[in-house]
Amino acid sequence: MNRFTSILAASAVSLVALPAVAQTEITWWDFLGGGDGVRMRAMIDQFNAEHPDINITPTTSEWGVPFYTRVRTSAAVGQGPDIMTYHLSRLPLALQEGVLTEITDADLEAAGLEIGDFFEAAVDAASDADGALYAVPFDIHSIVLYYNKSYLEGSEFLDDDGILVGIDSLEDFERAVAHTVEQGSRAPISYQTGGPGGIWRVFYTLFGQQGGEFIVDGEVLPGDNAGKAQRAIEIMASWGEQGWQPEQAEYPASVALFTSGQSAFHLNGVWEVPTLNDLANDGSLGFEWGAVQVPQMMDELATWADSHAFAIPIQGNQDMDPERREAVMTVIGWMQRNAIAWADAGHIPAYRPVAESDEYQAMEPNATYASLADTAFFDPRSEIAGVASPVYDAAVNVIGPAMHGFLSPEEAVAQMQMELQGLIR
């Protein structure tokens, strides 16, 4: 065997002997469907491609109660995921159930993150009463006011750049609505009037703009908060009495009223931005549209908001292996730094370096309504509040009938107080 052949043989033996890159398998659970799910899968694929030492295996479960029930039961026996998406509005219940582990300063350091990197409102919603962090905010998603520019052209409510202007009070908004009716809008204010999400988000925005607090020290609508809740319901009922909003519109129908050109305004989440962009891009929308932060109609700016966040569940009675936890935090840090891809779904990144980047500021209409991150009004910090909660049930079962004239606003508030107060431990 000559020297060259010997080197080749030795190299071959060496290559065979080289161990494969050790890979940490990360189990991921989320509730993300539709466009959100598509975008998240693309981000996971990109992460896996860039990290040969870490592999994320994702599973998507049904949004709402099914997802959170599965988390609770699996975490208790140590069969849950390593990382999961979580609504911050559900955090108070998670803390009561004890299903989440604290995100420490050392965890954040492993992710290359700092607490000051995030919007304060989202951090508050992700923390317990003592300020300990139990989830890492990923976005702020809120309702916004979508508008059909064709109904507003030439009016005081549309500037030269096509941006909605001149609405600084409830009276201004209702004048704008009345103007669009004169211009032919058949259902000028569309939102989900037949389901819990749409009703609650509009109610809670109007309530928050009066400085309301829904639950204080375990009491539902104490003091003058009851009057503020009543006023919010009165406004929604009056829109119905004037024929401005649809009756019992389920979510898809409320969106269709706007996309078909029948509604001048649409109150819905930022997550519908991709829908409208897609329709506009393929030429099937038929009108120019915009979206802005819900204007100040009452005493102050406030808009219902929630956040998707990343959380690490308990592992039964076991602690997560430190190397695995570091890998999980690597995933979370990467997701934050690459959140511009998530912003494409309409969401406002909770991570300030992305939200304040030139790339995000160039996204429209996202950049136009991004200011709502500073006035985001999160759901009450209570185990009975948040998505798919008793508070949402009260929205459709109590506020809904009041909107349609089957209860007075005063009766609706009294019924909410009675039903919800009995659920607080």
Side-chain angles (χ1 to χ4, degrees), residues 205-234:
T205 296
L206 294 171
F207 176 71
Q209 289 200 356
Q210 299 173 73
E213 292 182 274
F214 197 83
I215 299 174
V216 182
D217 296 329
E219 188 175 353
V220 178
L221 296 172
D224 65 355
N225 289 294
K228 293 172 182 177
Q230 182 176 326
R231 177 61 179 142
I233 297 172
E234 287 172 352

mmCIF file of all heavy atoms in Angstrom, residues 205-234:
data_model
loop_
_atom_site.group_PDB
_atom_site.id
_atom_site.type_symbol
_atom_site.label_atom_id
_atom_site.label_comp_id
_atom_site.label_asym_id
_atom_site.label_seq_id
_atom_site.Cartn_x
_atom_site.Cartn_y
_atom_site.Cartn_z
ATOM 1 N N THR A 205 -63.373 47.167 24.164
ATOM 2 C CA THR A 205 -62.710 48.371 23.657
ATOM 3 C C THR A 205 -63.466 49.624 24.099
ATOM 4 O O THR A 205 -62.867 50.578 24.614
ATOM 5 C CB THR A 205 -62.599 48.327 22.130
ATOM 6 O OG1 THR A 205 -61.754 47.230 21.747
ATOM 7 C CG2 THR A 205 -62.013 49.614 21.575
ATOM 8 N N LEU A 206 -64.780 49.627 23.910
ATOM 9 C CA LEU A 206 -65.586 50.778 24.328
ATOM 10 C C LEU A 206 -65.546 50.952 25.844
ATOM 11 O O LEU A 206 -65.527 52.078 26.355
ATOM 12 C CB LEU A 206 -67.029 50.602 23.851
ATOM 13 C CG LEU A 206 -67.241 50.632 22.331
ATOM 14 C CD1 LEU A 206 -68.666 50.223 21.981
ATOM 15 C CD2 LEU A 206 -66.915 52.002 21.759
ATOM 16 N N PHE A 207 -65.524 49.855 26.560
ATOM 17 C CA PHE A 207 -65.425 49.892 28.018
ATOM 18 C C PHE A 207 -64.057 50.434 28.448
ATOM 19 O O PHE A 207 -63.957 51.306 29.320
ATOM 20 C CB PHE A 207 -65.636 48.469 28.554
ATOM 21 C CG PHE A 207 -65.463 48.309 30.034
ATOM 22 C CD1 PHE A 207 -66.384 48.826 30.922
ATOM 23 C CD2 PHE A 207 -64.369 47.612 30.541
ATOM 24 C CE1 PHE A 207 -66.230 48.661 32.303
ATOM 25 C CE2 PHE A 207 -64.205 47.439 31.905
ATOM 26 C CZ PHE A 207 -65.133 47.960 32.795
ATOM 27 N N GLY A 208 -63.000 49.962 27.817
ATOM 28 C CA GLY A 208 -61.651 50.409 28.148
ATOM 29 C C GLY A 208 -61.419 51.867 27.819
ATOM 30 O O GLY A 208 -60.657 52.557 28.516
ATOM 31 N N GLN A 209 -62.065 52.357 26.772
ATOM 32 C CA GLN A 209 -61.896 53.761 26.415
ATOM 33 C C GLN A 209 -62.564 54.700 27.415
ATOM 34 O O GLN A 209 -62.345 55.907 27.372
ATOM 35 C CB GLN A 209 -62.433 54.004 25.002
ATOM 36 C CG GLN A 209 -61.557 53.381 23.923
ATOM 37 C CD GLN A 209 -61.771 53.993 22.560
ATOM 38 O OE1 GLN A 209 -62.639 54.858 22.349
ATOM 39 N NE2 GLN A 209 -60.964 53.581 21.597
ATOM 40 N N GLN A 210 -63.332 54.141 28.327
ATOM 41 C CA GLN A 210 -63.884 54.939 29.431
ATOM 42 C C GLN A 210 -63.047 54.792 30.700
ATOM 43 O O GLN A 210 -63.427 55.315 31.757
ATOM 44 C CB GLN A 210 -65.321 54.486 29.731
ATOM 45 C CG GLN A 210 -66.291 54.645 28.577
ATOM 46 C CD GLN A 210 -67.639 54.020 28.893
ATOM 47 O OE1 GLN A 210 -68.415 54.551 29.698
ATOM 48 N NE2 GLN A 210 -67.917 52.886 28.294
ATOM 49 N N GLY A 211 -61.899 54.085 30.584
ATOM 50 C CA GLY A 211 -61.076 53.849 31.758
ATOM 51 C C GLY A 211 -61.618 52.766 32.659
ATOM 52 O O GLY A 211 -61.315 52.736 33.858
ATOM 53 N N GLY A 212 -62.422 51.875 32.109
ATOM 54 C CA GLY A 212 -63.059 50.843 32.917
ATOM 55 C C GLY A 212 -62.112 49.747 33.372
ATOM 56 O O GLY A 212 -61.107 49.464 32.719
ATOM 57 N N GLU A 213 -62.448 49.134 34.496
ATOM 58 C CA GLU A 213 -61.761 47.946 35.009
ATOM 59 C C GLU A 213 -62.827 46.881 35.248
ATOM 60 O O GLU A 213 -63.725 47.078 36.070
ATOM 61 C CB GLU A 213 -61.022 48.252 36.300
ATOM 62 C CG GLU A 213 -59.840 49.191 36.144
ATOM 63 C CD GLU A 213 -59.124 49.402 37.471
ATOM 64 O OE1 GLU A 213 -59.561 50.296 38.230
ATOM 65 O OE2 GLU A 213 -58.161 48.665 37.745
ATOM 66 N N PHE A 214 -62.714 45.771 34.525
ATOM 67 C CA PHE A 214 -63.792 44.781 34.550
ATOM 68 C C PHE A 214 -63.827 43.995 35.858
ATOM 69 O O PHE A 214 -64.905 43.710 36.396
ATOM 70 C CB PHE A 214 -63.640 43.824 33.362
ATOM 71 C CG PHE A 214 -64.874 43.042 33.056
ATOM 72 C CD1 PHE A 214 -65.890 43.591 32.294
ATOM 73 C CD2 PHE A 214 -65.026 41.748 33.534
ATOM 74 C CE1 PHE A 214 -67.040 42.862 32.013
ATOM 75 C CE2 PHE A 214 -66.169 41.019 33.265
ATOM 76 C CZ PHE A 214 -67.184 41.573 32.498
ATOM 77 N N ILE A 215 -62.667 43.617 36.357
ATOM 78 C CA ILE A 215 -62.580 42.881 37.626
ATOM 79 C C ILE A 215 -61.551 43.572 38.508
ATOM 80 O O ILE A 215 -60.405 43.775 38.091
ATOM 81 C CB ILE A 215 -62.191 41.411 37.400
ATOM 82 C CG1 ILE A 215 -63.250 40.695 36.547
ATOM 83 C CG2 ILE A 215 -62.002 40.680 38.732
ATOM 84 C CD1 ILE A 215 -62.874 39.274 36.145
ATOM 85 N N VAL A 216 -61.944 43.935 39.709
ATOM 86 C CA VAL A 216 -61.047 44.623 40.651
ATOM 87 C C VAL A 216 -61.101 43.896 41.989
ATOM 88 O O VAL A 216 -62.170 43.782 42.588
ATOM 89 C CB VAL A 216 -61.454 46.101 40.841
ATOM 90 C CG1 VAL A 216 -60.487 46.794 41.788
ATOM 91 C CG2 VAL A 216 -61.528 46.830 39.506
ATOM 92 N N ASP A 217 -59.957 43.393 42.430
ATOM 93 C CA ASP A 217 -59.873 42.686 43.712
ATOM 94 C C ASP A 217 -60.942 41.597 43.822
ATOM 95 O O ASP A 217 -61.599 41.440 44.867
ATOM 96 C CB ASP A 217 -60.004 43.669 44.882
ATOM 97 C CG ASP A 217 -58.858 44.673 44.926
ATOM 98 O OD1 ASP A 217 -57.747 44.304 44.507
ATOM 99 O OD2 ASP A 217 -59.084 45.818 45.365
ATOM 100 N N GLY A 218 -61.122 40.873 42.731
ATOM 101 C CA GLY A 218 -62.059 39.760 42.746
ATOM 102 C C GLY A 218 -63.514 40.133 42.597
ATOM 103 O O GLY A 218 -64.399 39.272 42.690
ATOM 104 N N GLU A 219 -63.798 41.405 42.363
ATOM 105 C CA GLU A 219 -65.191 41.855 42.220
ATOM 106 C C GLU A 219 -65.454 42.253 40.766
ATOM 107 O O GLU A 219 -64.667 42.985 40.163
ATOM 108 C CB GLU A 219 -65.469 43.027 43.157
ATOM 109 C CG GLU A 219 -66.940 43.426 43.201
ATOM 110 C CD GLU A 219 -67.224 44.504 44.233
ATOM 111 O OE1 GLU A 219 -66.311 44.849 45.010
ATOM 112 O OE2 GLU A 219 -68.357 45.017 44.249
ATOM 113 N N VAL A 220 -66.558 41.781 40.218
ATOM 114 C CA VAL A 220 -66.918 42.051 38.834
ATOM 115 C C VAL A 220 -67.641 43.387 38.720
ATOM 116 O O VAL A 220 -68.659 43.620 39.378
ATOM 117 C CB VAL A 220 -67.823 40.924 38.273
ATOM 118 C CG1 VAL A 220 -68.242 41.244 36.834
ATOM 119 C CG2 VAL A 220 -67.095 39.582 38.322
ATOM 120 N N LEU A 221 -67.078 44.286 37.928
ATOM 121 C CA LEU A 221 -67.655 45.600 37.636
ATOM 122 C C LEU A 221 -68.069 46.364 38.896
ATOM 123 O O LEU A 221 -69.225 46.785 39.055
ATOM 124 C CB LEU A 221 -68.856 45.457 36.690
ATOM 125 C CG LEU A 221 -68.531 44.918 35.293
ATOM 126 C CD1 LEU A 221 -69.807 44.628 34.509
ATOM 127 C CD2 LEU A 221 -67.663 45.907 34.520
ATOM 128 N N PRO A 222 -67.122 46.583 39.813
ATOM 129 C CA PRO A 222 -67.468 47.331 41.023
ATOM 130 C C PRO A 222 -67.595 48.825 40.758
ATOM 131 O O PRO A 222 -67.031 49.360 39.799
ATOM 132 C CB PRO A 222 -66.271 47.057 41.941
ATOM 133 C CG PRO A 222 -65.121 46.893 40.981
ATOM 134 C CD PRO A 222 -65.709 46.175 39.788
ATOM 135 N N GLY A 223 -68.321 49.497 41.620
ATOM 136 C CA GLY A 223 -68.430 50.956 41.557
ATOM 137 C C GLY A 223 -68.946 51.461 40.227
ATOM 138 O O GLY A 223 -69.898 50.907 39.654
ATOM 139 N N ASP A 224 -68.292 52.516 39.705
ATOM 140 C CA ASP A 224 -68.775 53.120 38.471
ATOM 141 C C ASP A 224 -68.430 52.301 37.226
ATOM 142 O O ASP A 224 -68.819 52.667 36.111
ATOM 143 C CB ASP A 224 -68.246 54.545 38.323
ATOM 144 C CG ASP A 224 -66.734 54.613 38.156
ATOM 145 O OD1 ASP A 224 -66.061 53.563 38.246
ATOM 146 O OD2 ASP A 224 -66.217 55.740 37.958
ATOM 147 N N ASN A 225 -67.711 51.194 37.404
ATOM 148 C CA ASN A 225 -67.422 50.332 36.258
ATOM 149 C C ASN A 225 -68.698 49.724 35.674
ATOM 150 O O ASN A 225 -68.765 49.449 34.478
ATOM 151 C CB ASN A 225 -66.445 49.222 36.654
ATOM 152 C CG ASN A 225 -65.046 49.765 36.888
ATOM 153 O OD1 ASN A 225 -64.389 50.246 35.980
ATOM 154 N ND2 ASN A 225 -64.609 49.712 38.146
ATOM 155 N N ALA A 226 -69.683 49.501 36.514
ATOM 156 C CA ALA A 226 -70.954 48.970 36.023
ATOM 157 C C ALA A 226 -71.599 49.963 35.056
ATOM 158 O O ALA A 226 -72.127 49.578 34.002
ATOM 159 C CB ALA A 226 -71.898 48.675 37.187
ATOM 160 N N GLY A 227 -71.535 51.245 35.388
ATOM 161 C CA GLY A 227 -72.088 52.265 34.500
ATOM 162 C C GLY A 227 -71.328 52.358 33.190
ATOM 163 O O GLY A 227 -71.910 52.598 32.122
ATOM 164 N N LYS A 228 -70.005 52.156 33.242
ATOM 165 C CA LYS A 228 -69.199 52.194 32.016
ATOM 166 C C LYS A 228 -69.523 51.004 31.118
ATOM 167 O O LYS A 228 -69.596 51.137 29.897
ATOM 168 C CB LYS A 228 -67.719 52.212 32.382
ATOM 169 C CG LYS A 228 -67.296 53.497 33.086
ATOM 170 C CD LYS A 228 -65.872 53.424 33.619
ATOM 171 C CE LYS A 228 -65.508 54.705 34.361
ATOM 172 N NZ LYS A 228 -64.144 54.643 34.947
ATOM 173 N N ALA A 229 -69.743 49.845 31.726
ATOM 174 C CA ALA A 229 -70.139 48.676 30.953
ATOM 175 C C ALA A 229 -71.513 48.889 30.321
ATOM 176 O O ALA A 229 -71.751 48.540 29.162
ATOM 177 C CB ALA A 229 -70.149 47.440 31.846
ATOM 178 N N GLN A 230 -72.408 49.478 31.094
ATOM 179 C CA GLN A 230 -73.743 49.765 30.576
ATOM 180 C C GLN A 230 -73.665 50.724 29.385
ATOM 181 O O GLN A 230 -74.354 50.525 28.367
ATOM 182 C CB GLN A 230 -74.603 50.376 31.683
ATOM 183 C CG GLN A 230 -76.036 50.669 31.273
ATOM 184 C CD GLN A 230 -76.861 51.192 32.440
ATOM 185 O OE1 GLN A 230 -76.648 50.783 33.602
ATOM 186 N NE2 GLN A 230 -77.795 52.095 32.158
ATOM 187 N N ARG A 231 -72.816 51.728 29.496
ATOM 188 C CA ARG A 231 -72.671 52.696 28.394
ATOM 189 C C ARG A 231 -72.134 52.020 27.143
ATOM 190 O O ARG A 231 -72.600 52.309 26.022
ATOM 191 C CB ARG A 231 -71.733 53.828 28.830
ATOM 192 C CG ARG A 231 -71.435 54.860 27.753
ATOM 193 C CD ARG A 231 -72.679 55.556 27.283
ATOM 194 N NE ARG A 231 -72.388 56.566 26.279
ATOM 195 C CZ ARG A 231 -73.158 56.824 25.222
ATOM 196 N NH1 ARG A 231 -74.293 56.142 25.039
ATOM 197 N NH2 ARG A 231 -72.836 57.769 24.366
ATOM 198 N N ALA A 232 -71.180 51.117 27.288
ATOM 199 C CA ALA A 232 -70.636 50.412 26.122
ATOM 200 C C ALA A 232 -71.721 49.596 25.424
ATOM 201 O O ALA A 232 -71.826 49.584 24.190
ATOM 202 C CB ALA A 232 -69.484 49.508 26.548
ATOM 203 N N ILE A 233 -72.545 48.922 26.226
ATOM 204 C CA ILE A 233 -73.631 48.121 25.644
ATOM 205 C C ILE A 233 -74.665 49.024 24.979
ATOM 206 O O ILE A 233 -75.205 48.688 23.921
ATOM 207 C CB ILE A 233 -74.273 47.232 26.726
ATOM 208 C CG1 ILE A 233 -73.249 46.227 27.260
ATOM 209 C CG2 ILE A 233 -75.487 46.495 26.168
ATOM 210 C CD1 ILE A 233 -73.725 45.440 28.473
ATOM 211 N N GLU A 234 -74.948 50.159 25.588
ATOM 212 C CA GLU A 234 -75.901 51.102 24.990
ATOM 213 C C GLU A 234 -75.442 51.530 23.594
ATOM 214 O O GLU A 234 -76.262 51.643 22.672
ATOM 215 C CB GLU A 234 -76.040 52.342 25.882
ATOM 216 C CG GLU A 234 -76.820 52.108 27.163
ATOM 217 C CD GLU A 234 -76.755 53.310 28.102
ATOM 218 O OE1 GLU A 234 -75.973 54.254 27.803
ATOM 219 O OE2 GLU A 234 -77.453 53.302 29.132
#
